Amino acid sequence: MATPMPWDREDPLTEALYQLRMRGAFYSWTEAAGEAAVSMPEFPDTLSFHIVARGTAFLEVDGQESRRLDAGMLALVPRGIGHRVATRPGARVLGRADLLPQTLLGDAFSVLRLGAPDEEAQLAMLCGVVAFDSPAVNDMLAVLPAVVQVDSARHPVMTALVPLLAGELRDPRPGGEAVATRLADVLVVETVRAWLADEPDAATGWLAALRDALLGAPLAAIHREPGRAWTLAELARRATMSRSAFAARFTAMVGMPPMAYVVAARMRAARAMLASGESVATVAAVHGYGSEAAFSRAFSRTTGETPGRVRRAAAA
């Protein structure tokens, strides 16, 4: 008997979010005394998160109001946006977080101490920078606000996850980094779900469409099988709508016509396969192209890169 997947009894949003998988992460346990701030530089195609364990932090993004984060609060900064973390609004920036002296406890975990060394740290927090395997993640990051802020105390799953993740990092054991990455996977997903629960009207674009009673099922199906030869008629049937009504609703909510979205999703999935080292022939076949040449033309036209260039860049 086939084992049911977690989303078999869930909604399309849950299915899509739980398909996200991290491919890299770096964590830092940060303690600060007195008045201090650090800058997080821009890291394209990543997401940063900050979890306050003790005290109060202020997260500052250019063009945004300063966000106060008390103990138990968590903030995501999507899309690799540069930002600052401070003990007080406007505190003097001591430098870039990745360039300041810190104690490395593993390949992907460090301890960073800020402020006067003889003062007791009032602020303690766990910070992380992560990237993803899933080609659909860029759709999610693109429609999230500059800062996603959640009080973990209001969400039982997050309340359990935060100390588990911090414990794995503070007390490394064999396999601890792999466990921490999986926990961070779930924590990021749960943060997005918690934010959507707290701010139900805040979702736009892809996230809003996944929650839409009519568009959610066909959109999740595209993500599940991007290489399938989808037609407008089949997608409209899944939405129980006419083709014209489905196309109009999809375009208005997602920002592009359904078949254009199918091509974009297919090429994102193809790019992920190429970057993992799969041959052009294999990727072309998986995504329904009769020849490498036909696939290469479509890929180059859509992404502006050749399949060979993507494979070479990933290998390098």
Side-chain angles (χ1 to χ4, degrees), residues 276-302:
S276 71
E278 292 286 356
S279 69
V280 176
T282 298
V283 177
V286 166
H287 291 90
Y289 288 88
S291 68
E292 290 184 45
F295 166 72
S296 295
R297 286 193 298 271
F299 186 87
S300 299
R301 184 172 59 249
T302 304

Side-chain angles (χ1 to χ4, degrees), residues 114-151:
L114 305 171
D118 55 343
E119 290 187 37
E120 182 181 356
Q122 296 91 24
L123 171 64
M125 61 193 304
L126 177 64
C127 305
V129 179
V130 299
F132 296 88
D133 272 332
S134 170
V137 74
N138 289 328
D139 292 332
M140 182 187 77
L141 299 183
V143 298
L144 289 175
V147 178
V148 174
Q149 181 176 334
V150 172
D151 183 353

